Amino acid sequence: MDKWKRMEGELQALREQHLYREIKVIESPQRSHVRYRDRDMLMLASNSYLDLCDEAQVKAYAAKVLMEYGTGSGGSRLTTGTGICHIRLEDALARFKGREAAIVFNTGFAANSGVIPCLCRQGDVIYSDELNHASIIDGCRQSRAETVVYRHNDMADLERKIRERPGRQGLIVSDGVFSMDGDIVDLPGLVELADAYGLLSMIDEAHATGVIGATGRGCEEHFRMEGRVDVLMGTLSKAIGAEGGYVCGSHTLTEYLKNKARSYIFSTSLSPVTMAAAKRALELIEEEPWRVERLQENISFFCGRLREHGVEAASETAIIPIRIGEEEKAVKVSERLLEQGFFIPAIRYPTVKKGEAMLRAALMATHTKEELAAAAAAIARTIALA
Ligand SMILES: *Cc1c(COP(=O)(O)O)cnc(C)c1O
């Protein structure tokens, strides 16, 4: 028996369905212009919404911390891996989100997959939006609780499903900004149901922090519902421009997670440099409000330009889906845009449903209006020709 045959067969099938994934290697720092295939490209796909991955003040602070505290943390958080930089960042996060406390995980993925099994166990119920991120889905699976998937952002469907399971302990969990469609959770509806039925509420702010709310504080600020979500989870890897995941909430919550979350306990903590970069970036979001403001301006400008060219586009967040449909066509459009110097990948099954392939544009605070106008025109022209 050939032990590689199954893998090779499945890879071949992916190629035939235009679903085979290739790594694209970026040859410069992540910023609004990158080097790719040996040329300059306008980056319209990065999660670095505030363009802080290569920011001079963040780098200067991180470099100083690097020389002072070194490259590695040397242990897990509960052994030797908690340094001053970890604590400073957690304090800064708790303050930024207006919460009693914060706890940092190694990635957003590790936060979701570690936290959800702490909050819920066998016998409990988790209500999870059908478009939630893979890390939430994995967390639900690992918890062994009953996972009930409700229709996307549909609070009536959610309430019906809660009523079918009266008196059960559990959690409602949702992306704050959905990672493929860029739409925003119905937070007032979700929190009202959680409170009415005695369930915990958990929101994943991965694409919300630094993007929505007048000062970029995320979903609660967007809806003027500060302090209402029980478990505010997010990542430091997107608008913050560093690495790591976090949860903000009550002392009870963070102390519980420190004692119970396996991905926190059994993994070496992030380096002091990473913690320092994230902390300085958070400060910059407060010190330089123009970043969030410019990003929000860019979003409405770019969507407006696309619509003027006859391309349907509407988003309040930095993620702007442009529907294509067929996988093959989406890949072709994306390739042609690359040839013209615009980096906008095609998103395909299994990330989105089959036959619902799209371009997923992601904006940055530092894109200029001229760049966005040129991109919108090129996108419209390329789709029309494909
Ligand atoms: C990116 C993302 C994560 C994972 O965060 P990482 O820090 O990249 O591991 C979790 N949830 C959502 C909604 C995301 O988009």
Side-chain angles (χ1 to χ4, degrees):
M1 210 171 106
D2 179 355
K3 59 188 173 185
W4 299 104
K5 201 166 161 209
R6 185 169 71 186
M7 282 187 229
E8 280 162 1
E10 287 180 21
L11 285 174
Q12 188 51 34
L14 288 176
R15 280 188 203 99
E16 282 160 15
Q17 296 163 62
H18 304 283
L19 296 174
Y20 190 83
R21 309 294 189 95
E22 308 246 20
I23 299 287
K24 298 185 175 80
V25 181
I26 307 292
E27 298 141 14
S28 70
Q30 188 84 184
R31 49 189 182 217
S32 65
H33 284 261
V34 297
R35 241 188 132 63
Y36 176 65
R37 292 184 187 168
D38 229 9
R39 61 177 281 199
D40 177 75
M41 296 269 172
L42 186 66
M43 174 50 84
L44 281 158
S46 177
N47 295 327
S48 179
Y49 305 123
L50 299 177
D51 205 0
L52 292 172
C53 288
D54 190 44
E55 206 284 334
Q57 298 172 75
V58 174
K59 287 198 293 185
Y61 183 68
K64 187 171 137 281
V65 167
L66 170 71
M67 298 317 285
E68 230 171 289
Y69 292 95
T71 49
S73 74
S76 62
R77 287 295 303 272
L78 296 183
T79 59
T80 62
T82 296
I84 296 164
C85 297
H86 297 79
I87 300 302
R88 281 187 190 141
L89 174 62
E90 287 174 340
D91 290 348
L93 277 166
R95 205 177 41 75
F96 187 77
K97 291 283 185 177
R99 284 304 148 83
E100 278 176 19
I103 169 173
V104 169
F105 289 75
N106 286 356
T107 63
F109 203 107
N112 277 333
S113 61
V115 168
I116 295 171
C118 291
L119 302 177
C120 291
R121 58 189 70 163
Q122 202 153 25
D124 295 345
V125 196
I126 302 171
Y127 300 94
S128 175
D129 188 288
E130 66 179 329
L131 295 188
N132 276 346
H133 190 263
S135 54
I136 294 178
I137 296 169
D138 280 20
C140 294
R141 286 184 186 149
Q142 284 172 40
S143 75
R144 304 194 200 182
E146 180 191 357
T147 301
V148 176
V149 175
Y150 61 90
R151 282 208 295 269
H152 176 50
N153 224 358
D154 183 339
M155 295 302 126
D157 187 48
L158 172 58
E159 180 159 29
R160 198 169 324 113
K161 287 175 168 151
I162 296 171
R163 281 167 170 271
E164 284 167 11
R165 294 164 184 80
R168 298 269 295 277
Q169 185 152 351
L171 169 76
I172 306 174
V173 58
S174 177
D175 280 15
V177 169
F178 289 87
S179 46
M180 287 304 128
D181 292 326
D183 54 332
I184 302 174
V185 65
D186 177 355
L187 193 66
L190 189 149
V191 165
E192 189 187 318
L193 288 177
D195 289 349
Y197 292 96
L199 301 163
L200 289 168
S201 56
M202 175 168 173
I203 297 293
D204 177 337
E205 299 249 73
H207 300 280
T209 301
V211 178
I212 61 172
T215 63
R217 279 171 167 75
C219 291
E220 289 189 338
E221 187 182 30
H222 177 82
F223 288 103
R224 309 293 354 212
M225 290 178 63
E226 282 84 353
R228 297 291 303 281
V229 175
D230 297 315
V231 184
L232 261 189
M233 174 272 164
T235 174
L236 303 165
S237 64
K238 288 171 182 160
I240 312 287
E243 288 172 314
Y246 62 83
V247 171
C248 296
S250 65
H251 278 301
T252 303
L253 174 68
T254 55
E255 289 305 304
Y256 189 79
L257 295 176
K258 283 178 202 168
N259 281 279
K260 299 273 190 179
R262 291 170 66 81
S263 62
Y264 176 85
I265 297 170
F266 297 105
S267 190
T268 299
S269 66
L270 292 169
S271 83
V273 184
T274 306
M275 300 292 88
K279 178 176 157 282
R280 188 71 193 100
L282 266 186
E283 288 168 3
L284 271 191
I285 294 174
E286 296 187 300
E287 289 165 17
E288 299 183 349
W290 66 263
R291 287 180 188 274
V292 172
E293 288 160 14
R294 274 274 300 281
L295 177 61
Q296 293 175 352
E297 263 172 48
N298 280 352
I299 293 162
S300 60
F301 176 81
F302 185 64
C303 289
R305 276 302 165 102
L306 282 169
R307 286 194 301 267
E308 282 169 27
H309 289 293
V311 176
E312 206 187 304
S315 183
E316 288 179 273
T317 72
I319 300 165
I320 294 147
I322 299 164
R323 318 267 168 207
I324 304 286
E326 256 175 74
E327 282 76 25
E328 198 179 350
K329 182 174 175 187
V331 173
K332 194 160 114 189
V333 171
S334 169
E335 265 305 315
R336 300 251 160 97
L337 285 166
L338 268 179
E339 287 158 13
Q340 299 166 64
F342 300 102
F343 196 107
I344 313 178
I347 306 289
R348 293 166 278 173
Y349 177 83
T351 310
V352 294
K353 290 188 190 134
K354 271 204 178 123
E356 296 187 11
M358 63 187 199
L359 301 178
R360 178 183 179 276
L363 302 193
M364 286 188 186
T366 49
H367 286 137
T368 67
K369 300 286 184 291
E370 294 70 34
E371 288 166 349
L372 294 176
I379 290 166
R381 202 170 51 232
T382 309
I383 292 175
L385 291 173

